[in-house]
């Protein structure tokens, strides 16, 4: 098959996937999952819609071949919302190719990766079914990755697992054997509203919120001294602050709410992170002589597999050969569904794929079609090596 035909196949399929508005929240994945199932069935591949954990946000699974070893190619169908559609040069759900790049929300994160997984499974079907390759390939089109919903975890629990897992997030072809985790906390300071002309009748939550912000900054400074050799530093960052926005400008606000994003290194436990955050908040509250409500609202675990695992070395060698990707051990700073493979299912898994993580969640998100084609080539070569008969 020529490079030009591969380029067209990749562009067409990835563009079709981008055209589904699967923004999460709210998570409109079902239509895209139905498309994935139908696409596979039209090509004679067994595929099914998985309505767990949510029928409205269904997932898709396909399998080629039978038996072991099994290589699982994992992608997610949800994307982050488009907050500023007018800022985009092209339609964020157009799936157009512009100057050799597939554009649109989710093009890099990670519908190009999902398209590559789908095409690889179909391309290798005859070799798997004829016995030229051993084992099988399973493709996940999971829901809810962007908000930590249990899409991939549910698929693994339902038996759609294997011996190897490749989570096709954009990594510029670097092989991540470790991923950071994260924990998000909501901090709430209650005040007492009053007319701004009589401020002493009420209690503004803003001074206490300011103490919290300062305490979190100091905590972040300390965290930056911690580092994982593959994933980099730990961080504590305020990602949202709400106070008084839903009231009249002449009223003291009655409540302030902050969201703290804590990036978790593989060596850190969630219990220890919880305790640290609780201590930081308690000290700031005591300093302000005010109560602060604290709730952890989201958590992604970190994960790690040996840097010299068979899967990692295979993808590392082939990526270096095909595109000159670095071969040094590496970890990704973001959280990925590799954690579900490693921590929940005990499956050797890495995060790897075409495209740049720097494009994820950005205005005018894009991925080079040629990079996706290279990813298809590397993935198929890796599958042939991993599933080669003894």
């Amino acid at each position: 098959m020529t490079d030009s035909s591969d380029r067209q196949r990749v562009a067409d399929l990835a563009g079709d996937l981008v055209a589904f508005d699967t923004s999460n929240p709210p998570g409109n994945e079902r239509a895209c999952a139905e498309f994935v199932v139908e696409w596979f069935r039209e090509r004679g591949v067994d595929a099914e819609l998985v309505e767990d954990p949510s029928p409205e946000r269904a997932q898709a699974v396909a399998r080629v071949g039978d038996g072991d070893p099994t290589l699982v190619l994992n992608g997610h169908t949800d994307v982050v919302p488009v907050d500023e559609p007018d800022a985009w040069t092209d339609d964020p759900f157009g799936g157009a190719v512009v100057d050799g790049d597939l554009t649109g929300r989710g093009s890099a994160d990670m519908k190009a990766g999902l398209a590559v997984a789908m095409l690889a499974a179909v391309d290798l079907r005859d070799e798997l079914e004829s016995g030229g390759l051993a084992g099988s390939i399973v493709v996940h089109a999971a829901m809810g990755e962007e908000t930590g919903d249990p899409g991939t975890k549910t698929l693994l629990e339902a038996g759609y697992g294997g011996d190897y897992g490749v989570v096709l997030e954009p990594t510029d072809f670097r092989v991540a054997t470790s991923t950071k985790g994260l924990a998000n906390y909501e901090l709430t300071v209650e005040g007492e509203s009053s007319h701004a002309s009589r401020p002493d009748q009420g209690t503004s939550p803003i001074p206490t919120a300011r103490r919290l912000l300062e305490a979190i900054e100091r905590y972040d400074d300390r965290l930056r001294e911690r580092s994982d050799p593959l994933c980099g530093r730990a961080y504590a960052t305020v990602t949202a602050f709400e106070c008084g926005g839903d009231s009249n400008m002449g009223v003291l606000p009655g409540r302030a709410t902050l969201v703290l994003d804590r990036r978790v290194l593989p060596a850190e436990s969630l219990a220890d992170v919880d305790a640290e955050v609780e201590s930081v908040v308690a000290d700031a509250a005591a300093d302000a002589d005010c109560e602060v409500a604290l709730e952890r609202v989201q958590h992604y675990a970190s994960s790690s597999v040996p840097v010299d695992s068979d899967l990692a070395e295979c993808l590392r060698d082939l990526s270096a050969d095909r595109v000159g990707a670095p071969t040094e051990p590496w970890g990704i700073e973001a959280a990925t569904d590799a954690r579900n493979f490693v921590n929940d299912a005990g499956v050797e898994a890495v995060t790897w794929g075409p495209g740049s993580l720097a494009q994820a969640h950005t205005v005018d998100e894009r991925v080079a079609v040629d990079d996706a084609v290279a990813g298809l080539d590397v993935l198929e070569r890796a599958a042939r090596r991993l599933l080669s008969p003894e």
Side-chain angles (χ1 to χ4, degrees), residues 40-367:
F40 274 116
R41 289 177 176 172
E42 287 176 353
R43 289 155 181 81
V45 173
D46 289 337
E48 62 180 299
L49 205 65
V50 179
E51 295 190 328
D52 228 5
S54 168
E56 294 78 20
R57 302 179 59 191
Q59 314 184 82
V61 173
R63 180 187 294 272
V64 292
D66 187 25
D68 298 323
T70 299
L71 171 63
V72 183
L73 307 179
N74 173 270
H76 62 83
T77 55
D78 63 318
V79 300
V80 297
V82 176
D83 292 330
E84 300 176 277
D86 292 341
W88 286 65
T89 304
D90 302 294
D91 180 358
F93 296 106
V97 175
V98 180
D99 296 329
D101 292 344
L102 174 70
T103 65
R105 173 59 81 225
S107 54
D109 181 18
M110 58 177 296
K111 288 179 174 175
L114 176 57
V116 165
M118 294 167 65
L119 290 166
V122 169
D123 289 350
L124 296 171
R125 177 187 54 187
D126 290 346
E127 294 173 64
L128 286 160
E129 292 180 349
S130 69
L133 292 176
S136 55
I137 293 176
V138 171
V139 177
H140 290 176
M143 57 79 79
E145 189 274 346
E146 296 291 358
T147 50
D149 297 302
T152 294
K153 183 178 181 181
T154 299
L155 295 178
L156 293 168
E157 290 174 344
Y160 302 109
D163 301 277
Y164 307 103
V166 180
V167 178
L168 284 142
E169 298 282 2
T171 68
D172 283 322
F173 301 102
R174 298 191 73 179
V175 180
T177 53
S178 297
T179 67
K180 273 186 189 175
L182 70 87
N184 284 337
Y185 302 87
E186 187 173 86
L187 286 59
T188 304
V189 182
E190 299 290 349
E192 185 178 353
S193 296
S194 71
H195 198 287
S197 67
R198 298 185 297 276
D200 293 339
Q201 283 189 342
T203 303
S204 172
I206 293 176
T208 300
R210 183 167 57 244
R211 301 276 184 90
L212 281 171
L213 291 168
E214 292 168 351
I216 291 168
E217 287 180 1
R218 293 192 296 271
Y219 179 44
D220 182 59
D221 288 340
R222 298 194 301 273
L223 286 178
R224 288 169 181 258
E225 297 177 1
R226 300 180 196 173
S227 182
D228 178 85
L230 300 182
C231 294
R233 293 172 171 171
Y235 299 106
T237 308
V238 174
T239 57
F241 179 81
E242 297 181 2
C243 185
D246 59 352
S247 182
N248 185 282
M249 289 184 290
V251 177
L252 261 67
R255 173 181 296 174
T257 303
L258 292 73
V259 174
L260 168 61
D261 181 299
R262 169 65 158 87
R263 295 289 151 159
V264 181
L265 303 180
E268 297 181 302
S269 72
L270 179 60
D272 287 344
V273 171
D274 281 345
E276 284 186 0
V277 172
E278 289 168 4
S279 177
V280 168
V281 172
D283 288 348
D287 186 43
D289 192 23
C290 178
E291 291 188 2
V292 178
L294 170 66
E295 179 185 6
R296 173 161 43 82
V297 293
Q298 185 170 266
H299 169 238
Y300 295 72
S302 57
S303 68
S304 181
V305 299
V307 297
D308 59 352
S309 70
D310 291 343
L311 175 60
E313 292 200 333
C314 174
L315 280 170
R316 205 178 283 131
D317 292 345
L318 293 173
S319 298
D321 179 65
R322 179 64 167 80
V323 298
T327 57
E328 297 83 4
W330 180 68
I332 192 168
E333 294 188 352
T336 80
D337 278 358
R339 69 189 184 278
N340 297 129
F341 286 89
V342 176
N343 301 336
D344 300 321
V347 174
E348 179 182 322
V350 300
T351 305
W352 171 92
S356 171
L357 188 62
Q359 283 292 321
H361 305 183
T362 62
V363 171
D364 286 342
E365 181 180 346
R366 62 190 56 233
V367 61

